[in-house]
Amino acid sequence: MNSNEKTIEKFDSHVMHSYKRFPLAMKQGAGRRCVDENGKEYIDFGSGIGTNSLGYCDEKWADAVCAQVRTLQHNSNYYYTEVQAEFASQLCGITGYKSVFFGNSGAEANECAIKIARKYSFDKYGKGRHNIITLVNSFHGRTIATLSATGQDVFHNYFFPFVEGFINVTANDIADLKAKLDDTVCAVMIEYIQGEGGVNALQQDFVDAIYDLCAERDVLVIADEVQTGAGRTGKFLAGEHFGKKADITTLAKGIAGGLPIGVCLAGEKCAEVLTAGTHGSTFGGNPIACAGGLAVLDRMKSAGFLEDVEKKAAYFRSELMKCPEVASVSGLGLMIGIELKTKKAADVSREAFEKGLLVLTAKEKVRLLPPLTITLDEINDGLRILFEILEE
Ligand SMILES: *Cc1c(COP(=O)(O)O)cnc(C)c1O
């Protein structure tokens, strides 16, 4: 048995089998490449589902994280820490939001958003205005509440009863939205680009309709930017592409460069909704995660970083469109969905893995979420492998 196989055997004997995993035991990484236990190298176009936004073990990020580990690794949220204050202040500075609640994951950030929306409405209007509209084909997380929010029937199994109070509207169907946005609704929750749902961007007129109708009725807009946020699309928030700022925006995945954190950002309207004792998290806003987050923000604020993401994304997309097997390329920036003409995305991801390239899938598409620091040479190296497979 080789090292990869040994690790996999031990792993599978003791870790629950809740994922369909590739037979790859990852040992270490540097930049945009990682190595498995047998020493085989991979170019990473998935970056741990968009988490390793600065690539593997970025030097400045690692220094910041290690320095924090040696200073103060954790303290309860009954006390204050400078690093959490600085991260919150910089997040608000970049996004224009008023206040932040920190959890540990995307699902937790969304749980917080859901609680804020319901309490905002309860405080102002009393009971009965608790429903939240989410979109068909959305994905908001794996906790019971965020699964309930997720508008995909495949997720609504086994774990009954689900949480009441979520109503699904078909994406881009303004009539459906109008019909369902009644006086029982306190919020509309969207992904500007549905990630797990297949890398599908919402249409501008539908986004406009959501914001207009919600403004008329004092219904909050929640933007789940867990996947689209933190520079992924070439803007810090994907909402900027649509000219919109939601009442609440959630972030996670890439915001701390691969450390677990969930961010719930609230604007003026609902910045003070959560009062002492109404919400909490033991690890939320952990100093190490915040130090990682600050290193990510520092890089994103550096001159030309996001413009560079947009340039690389444009190159990536135009190269992909040259491949005859590619039917269309969706998403924005470095959140890329590839619709294929004849091949199956799952087969392509498997073959790519065998040839030393890591890619993701989303529904019928190949999905790419490369590190934002990827270079043109690395894009070309990865595409060479991908095209070899697609042109077979
Ligand atoms: C990944 C994802 C989540 C869930 O995040 P976790 O960190 O896995 O809890 C929620 N919403 C969107 C849009 C996501 O892509």
Side-chain angles (χ1 to χ4, degrees):
M1 233 196 275
N2 63 39
S3 306
N4 233 7
E5 288 161 354
K6 268 190 225 150
T7 299
I8 291 167
E9 189 183 82
K10 196 200 300 182
F11 198 108
D12 279 339
S13 310
H14 301 290
V15 180
M16 291 184 193
H17 303 131
S18 61
Y19 298 91
K20 205 168 134 201
R21 297 176 208 271
F22 285 83
L24 159 59
M26 210 178 276
K27 186 168 184 187
Q28 63 186 76
R32 274 62 59 190
R33 287 181 157 85
C34 57
V35 176
D36 73 10
E37 298 277 355
N38 295 340
K40 181 178 168 188
E41 193 180 80
Y42 300 84
I43 300 173
D44 193 351
F45 276 5
S47 59
I49 319 191
T51 54
N52 301 340
S53 44
L54 304 182
Y56 289 98
C57 309
D58 175 86
E59 198 111 349
K60 282 191 181 150
W61 172 88
D63 285 347
V65 169
C66 290
Q68 187 61 49
V69 171
R70 295 188 180 284
T71 312
L72 179 77
Q73 85 276 34
H74 187 70
N75 214 315
S76 92
N77 277 307
Y78 292 123
Y79 310 113
Y80 295 86
T81 56
E82 213 290 311
V83 66
Q84 190 179 133
E86 183 60 24
F87 188 38
S89 142
Q90 287 201 24
L91 280 168
C92 289
I94 292 180
T95 59
Y97 280 95
K98 183 80 179 26
S99 66
V100 182
F101 179 89
F102 290 115
N104 306 287
S105 65
E108 282 183 50
N110 288 337
E111 289 269 348
C112 179
I114 291 164
K115 285 177 77 171
I116 292 175
R118 285 190 169 173
K119 186 167 182 298
Y120 171 82
S121 191
F122 176 80
D123 289 348
K124 227 167 148 178
Y125 304 100
K127 282 190 176 168
R129 198 175 179 274
H130 57 259
N131 285 326
I132 295 175
I133 289 182
T134 61
L135 302 184
V136 173
N137 215 24
S138 58
F139 181 81
H140 297 297
R142 298 285 197 158
T143 61
I144 291 279
T146 57
L147 268 185
S148 308
T150 291
Q152 299 189 49
D153 291 338
V154 288
F155 288 108
H156 297 161
N157 260 310
Y158 318 122
F159 311 113
F160 307 100
F162 287 93
V163 177
E164 277 178 53
F166 294 95
I167 298 171
N168 295 149
V169 160
T170 304
N172 302 318
D173 186 339
I174 297 175
D176 194 26
L177 173 70
K178 279 187 175 152
K180 289 171 181 165
L181 190 54
D182 59 22
D183 58 10
T184 68
V185 173
C186 64
V188 176
M189 184 165 172
I190 56 168
E191 295 157 89
Y192 289 107
I193 308 166
Q194 296 187 330
E196 304 305 310
V199 199
N200 297 311
L202 297 181
Q203 290 165 6
Q204 182 72 48
D205 63 344
F206 183 66
V207 174
D208 290 342
I210 291 172
Y211 276 81
D212 291 347
L213 290 167
C214 286
E216 272 170 29
R217 292 150 197 255
D218 194 21
V219 167
L220 301 182
V221 179
I222 302 171
D224 176 350
E225 293 229 31
V226 166
Q227 190 161 155
T228 56
R232 174 55 52 193
T233 67
K235 306 272 184 216
F236 189 76
L237 296 179
E240 296 169 48
H241 292 284
F242 294 84
K244 298 288 191 261
K245 184 178 160 215
D247 298 292
I248 301 171
T249 287
T250 57
L251 300 171
K253 293 205 163 81
I255 189 63
L259 291 173
I261 194 162
V263 176
C264 181
L265 293 156
E268 295 284 348
K269 216 176 191 182
C270 47
E272 305 298 332
V273 168
L274 294 180
T275 49
T278 55
H279 198 39
S281 164
T282 299
F283 278 118
N286 168 272
I288 300 167
C290 287
L294 276 169
V296 169
L297 292 188
D298 196 48
R299 194 69 53 86
M300 284 192 189
K301 289 202 279 194
S302 67
F305 184 89
L306 290 175
E307 290 80 355
D308 195 43
V309 168
E310 287 200 310
K311 270 188 224 144
K312 289 184 289 196
Y315 175 73
F316 222 129
R317 286 161 188 281
S318 72
E319 287 302 297
L320 282 166
M321 284 310 295
K322 289 180 192 162
C323 175
E325 172 60 18
V326 172
S328 69
V329 181
S330 65
L332 282 169
L334 287 176
M335 179 171 180
I336 300 171
I338 308 169
E339 184 194 358
L340 301 171
K341 286 184 184 158
T342 60
K343 294 190 189 286
K344 292 230 172 329
D347 297 341
V348 171
S349 72
R350 190 82 186 184
E351 280 182 64
F353 151 72
E354 278 159 14
K355 290 182 190 289
L357 171 70
L358 303 179
V359 302
L360 304 164
T361 59
K363 293 279 182 301
E364 307 309 316
K365 287 180 190 163
V366 172
R367 176 175 44 148
L368 310 180
L369 298 171
L372 304 182
T373 52
I374 197 162
T375 64
L376 288 183
D377 281 347
E378 290 160 340
I379 292 175
N380 287 332
D381 289 348
L383 283 180
R384 212 168 296 127
I385 298 176
L386 189 62
F387 288 163
E388 228 175 80
I389 298 161
L390 294 181
E391 281 158 22
E392 247 164 35

